[in-house]
Amino acid sequence: MDLKLFGEVFVTLLVITDPPGMMPIFLALTGPLPARDRNRAAWQAVTLALGVIVVFAVAGQTLLDYLHVDLPALQAAGGLLLVLVALELLTGKTDGPSSEATSNIALVPLGTPLLAGPGAIVATMLFVQQADGLADFTAIAVAILAVMLAVWIVLRFSGGIVKILRPGGIEVLTRIAGLLLAAIAVQLIADAVFAFVTQYVNMT
């Protein structure tokens, strides 16, 4: 296994997924839930993110070409999705805790587009395209698994913070997370628009 490539993939994906930055958003979305449901949401989110990243690593470019979708379009779609979630957090109109809500939160927006977002997808696709031989593919696969494990550990043990913050602190954290999420969404959309403009200028 190529340890240098492993390190590059691990650090790149770890920075993109940003587990410490994910924690306030995760707590804002799952704070009212029982500890068991919160842990399940962490597991489901990481599992979905891993599945999405693996699918795009294996067949991402083929899938996008078949659907005639450019990466900036995928990025803009993720940004719009995050805008909706951010507005719910800012206005306090999130659903009450339930088994269905737990699954929904874990899948969207935690699993995708926050963990398995355009950045992680594009980075993984680039690493796979540049890989040469079984050693490189093994390094990429192990690095992806290691990053997802690190994310799960951070989310799994973030429950202790909920006990410290109490309901009032969770409410404040929810508003802050909504603001951060809105900023991330606007940045995604802005980057997508910039990419579209750049493509248009290059074509002309």
Side-chain angles (χ1 to χ4, degrees):
M1 187 176 73
D2 189 339
L3 293 179
K4 182 184 178 190
L5 179 60
F6 167 83
E8 290 177 358
V9 177
F10 179 80
V11 172
T12 300
L13 292 181
L14 194 67
V15 170
I16 292 173
T17 54
D18 187 19
M22 274 289 299
M23 191 183 296
I25 298 172
F26 176 76
L27 292 178
L29 291 169
T30 63
L33 298 173
R36 182 178 178 181
D37 288 344
R38 191 184 312 114
N39 295 338
R40 188 170 71 223
W43 173 251
Q44 289 175 338
V46 170
T47 303
L48 175 66
L50 177 61
V52 171
I53 289 176
V54 169
V55 167
F56 274 93
V58 174
Q61 195 59 55
T62 303
L63 180 62
L64 292 178
D65 291 342
Y66 177 77
L67 296 174
H68 303 290
V69 174
D70 292 329
L71 285 174
L74 187 67
Q75 195 167 2
L80 291 173
L81 185 60
L82 290 184
V83 166
L84 296 177
V85 178
L87 289 175
E88 288 186 350
L89 291 176
L90 288 170
T91 57
K93 294 182 179 178
T94 51
D95 296 329
S98 67
S99 178
E100 184 178 354
T102 303
S103 297
N104 291 342
I105 289 169
L107 301 180
V108 178
L110 289 176
T112 182
L114 284 176
L115 289 178
I121 289 172
V122 172
T124 305
M125 287 171 61
L126 290 176
F127 279 121
V128 170
Q129 289 173 5
Q130 295 169 3
D132 182 22
L134 181 60
D136 287 355
F137 288 117
T138 302
I140 293 171
V142 173
I144 293 172
L145 289 174
V147 169
M148 290 296 109
L149 178 62
V151 171
W152 177 78
I153 290 173
V154 171
L155 298 184
R156 170 64 178 79
F157 294 101
S158 62
I161 300 176
V162 175
K163 298 177 182 178
I164 299 173
L165 293 177
R166 305 296 177 91
I170 291 294
E171 184 71 18
V172 174
L173 188 63
T174 299
R175 299 296 183 266
I176 296 174
L179 185 61
L180 293 174
L181 207 55
I184 294 172
V186 171
Q187 186 64 55
L188 281 174
I189 295 172
D191 290 344
V193 171
F194 179 77
F196 275 125
V197 171
T198 302
Q199 283 183 3
Y200 176 77
V201 170
N202 291 337
M203 288 175 61
T204 56

